[in-house]
Amino acid sequence: MNTSPRQKILIVDDEPDIRELLEITLGRMKLETFSARNLGEAQALLQREHFDLCLTDMRLPDGTGLELVQHIQQRDPHLPVAMITAYGSLETAINALKAGAFDFLTKPVELPRLRELVSSALRLPTAGGLSTAIERRLLGDSPPMANLRRQIDKLARSQAPVYISGESGSGKELVARLIHEQGPRASQPFVPVNCGAIPSELMESEFFGHRKGSFTGAVEDKPGLFQAAHGGTLFLDEVADLPLSMQVKLLRAIQEKAVRSVGGQQETVVDVRILCATHKDLEAEVSAERFRQDLYYRLNVIELRVPSLRERRDDIEALAMHVLKRLAKDTGQPEARLHPQALEALKNYRFPGNVRELENVLERAHTLCENRTIEAQDLRLSEGNCTADGAMADLTQVDNLEDYLESVERKLILQALEETRWNRTAAAQRLSLSFRSMRYRLKKLGLD
């Protein structure tokens, strides 16, 4: 006989019919319900009882559901709260998600969607294991990383769309995976897709699938990325690279929570959480009319910025030790030692490619070094990317200042172009240059 206590749900709504509908539905799910008609009654119940989930209407006689979300965030931030809003009140729902709500329902309440939301919320990991799991995967004790871990911990307990911003190589996909793995969808698929790597003519088929015979080469039915991610998370990396025509279709899929395959007659309901990332400035892309503003607002409910390696230099030693241990394990060789001068050189380097570049530098040095000791010269760091407190240029090698500066400029521009796969607009943004200035410099240096 199962004697485990039933999970408790707090229902907050001033409409008796809604309360009764929720009580009956949740009762059939073997859940114990408590009801409140207003904000005051809800706060009183929260003081007396421990709850596993709170469902609250947005409009209450003595306040708003948003106030209740904020009240719970201050006192019990690990209690999931779902907001019930009037149909079409998307802005209200987004404000609730930003305030910390787990998810939202629209009236009239669809019972399958209600049961799905409740089941998902009750699968959230307990508070204790979250931060520890994130710490094991996201190395570094610097303040920016401590802040990032706290934000991941919070966002993992939500269903809000998250826009992950940061430079190339900073670890945006790892952050997305952690949000997924620490949330209620962890047992379901995590589907990453590089939006810039899909040919434009195949995008609709890749995202939404196709039916047999819908175009030349469609020899069988094929599900798309949305269908593959059903129940889990779809991570759209480099989302700014989507063409405008595809942005329209993506927006509709997110709004309707349904997709139609190429050549299909009916829509398929999909339940996915959308996480996206790009190294570009998405707001600037909107201003330049290369990215739809309405899609931007749907994707950028909450922005999570991943710090560059330059912003957390104190973590370089720990990251380097971790990489060297992994390399030793992978190659079956003794672990290489990092000479103090080599460590100092790493700390004084700008790392335009961030953690990914650090890994590549150490992998190369691990292969080249002698006596299992990595010297500074084994790192082969670009002098043009040393910081102001790094090594100064050797004046004996500078015959002409203009020529020397031009060579440094050429090296940095080429590096930016390589990092952005020769996307001139992205390279200009990477160097904080206007596109016109970038074009002038390319022509001046003979790189046009």
Side-chain angles (χ1 to χ4, degrees), residues 217-269:
V219 295
E220 60 183 358
D221 289 354
K222 178 191 171 187
L225 294 163
F226 269 85
Q227 292 94 325
H230 181 64
T233 302
L234 182 62
F235 174 53
L236 305 174
D237 197 9
E238 299 303 348
V239 70
D241 290 344
L242 286 174
L244 287 167
S245 59
M246 190 61 207
Q247 292 175 30
V248 177
K249 296 179 173 120
L250 176 61
L251 176 64
R252 188 179 186 283
I254 294 171
Q255 286 177 333
E256 302 299 325
K257 297 188 176 180
V259 297
R260 179 181 295 172
S261 58
V262 177
Q265 299 300 314
Q266 294 183 326
E267 290 192 328
T268 303
V269 173

Side-chain angles (χ1 to χ4, degrees), residues 166-172 238 279 306-313 316 319 346 349-362 381-382 384-386 411-412 414-420 430-431:
E167 295 179 5
S168 294
S170 57
K172 296 186 292 295
E238 299 303 348
H279 72 279
V306 181
S308 67
L309 194 52
R310 294 185 301 283
E311 296 172 73
R312 54 186 190 106
R313 294 187 185 280
I316 288 177
L319 287 166
L346 289 175
Y349 185 65
R350 289 190 69 250
F351 281 108
N354 292 291
V355 177
R356 188 185 300 144
E357 185 180 5
L358 173 64
E359 291 173 342
N360 292 340
V361 164
L362 289 173
L381 299 176
S382 166
N385 277 312
C386 285
K411 188 182 296 183
L412 292 175
L414 283 171
Q415 186 162 346
L417 287 167
E418 287 170 4
E419 286 178 21
T420 57
R430 177 74 187 77
L431 296 168

Side-chain angles (χ1 to χ4, degrees), residues 166-195:
E167 295 179 5
S168 294
S170 57
K172 296 186 292 295
E173 183 172 339
L174 173 59
V175 168
R177 284 185 181 276
L178 286 170
I179 291 172
H180 169 77
E181 291 172 6
Q182 303 307 313
R185 297 174 180 264
S187 61
Q188 301 300 315
F190 175 84
V191 179
V193 52
N194 187 331
C195 298

Side-chain angles (χ1 to χ4, degrees), residues 322-353:
H322 175 77
V323 172
L324 292 176
K325 283 181 182 177
R326 177 172 55 76
L327 288 171
K329 183 179 178 181
D330 291 346
T331 59
Q333 297 177 344
E335 186 177 331
R337 169 179 169 268
L338 198 61
H339 191 279
Q341 288 183 352
L343 177 59
E344 190 65 23
L346 289 175
K347 289 183 175 181
N348 287 329
Y349 185 65
R350 289 190 69 250
F351 281 108

Side-chain angles (χ1 to χ4, degrees), residues 329-433:
K329 183 179 178 181
D330 291 346
T331 59
Q333 297 177 344
E335 186 177 331
R337 169 179 169 268
L338 198 61
H339 191 279
Q341 288 183 352
L343 177 59
E344 190 65 23
L346 289 175
K347 289 183 175 181
N348 287 329
Y349 185 65
R350 289 190 69 250
F351 281 108
N354 292 291
V355 177
R356 188 185 300 144
E357 185 180 5
L358 173 64
E359 291 173 342
N360 292 340
V361 164
L362 289 173
E363 189 170 351
R364 182 177 62 225
H366 185 269
T367 304
L368 295 175
C369 73
E370 297 180 2
N371 301 319
R372 313 311 308 154
T373 300
I374 296 176
E375 305 282 351
Q377 60 267 27
D378 296 325
L379 298 172
R380 298 191 176 183
L381 299 176
S382 166
E383 288 183 14
N385 277 312
C386 285
T387 57
D389 54 348
M392 294 179 64
D394 183 355
L395 287 177
T396 61
Q397 299 177 7
V398 181
D399 296 325
N400 182 291
L401 180 60
E402 291 296 331
D403 290 345
Y404 176 78
L405 292 175
E406 189 172 290
S407 71
V408 171
E409 184 178 13
R410 177 191 296 271
K411 188 182 296 183
L412 292 175
I413 287 176
L414 283 171
Q415 186 162 346
L417 287 167
E418 287 170 4
E419 286 178 21
T420 57
R421 295 173 294 192
W422 290 82
N423 183 321
R424 296 184 181 189
T425 303
Q429 291 174 342
R430 177 74 187 77
L431 296 168
S432 298
L433 296 173

Side-chain angles (χ1 to χ4, degrees), residues 135-188:
E135 283 177 15
R136 286 199 301 267
R137 299 280 301 281
L138 206 59
L139 299 177
D141 296 321
S142 63
M145 291 307 287
N147 182 53
L148 181 62
R149 279 195 289 269
R150 282 194 299 270
Q151 290 178 296
I152 292 172
D153 184 69
K154 181 177 181 180
L155 294 174
R157 306 186 65 84
S158 166
Q159 295 299 289
V162 179
Y163 162 46
I164 304 168
S165 63
E167 295 179 5
S168 294
S170 57
K172 296 186 292 295
E173 183 172 339
L174 173 59
V175 168
R177 284 185 181 276
L178 286 170
I179 291 172
H180 169 77
E181 291 172 6
Q182 303 307 313
R185 297 174 180 264
S187 61
Q188 301 300 315

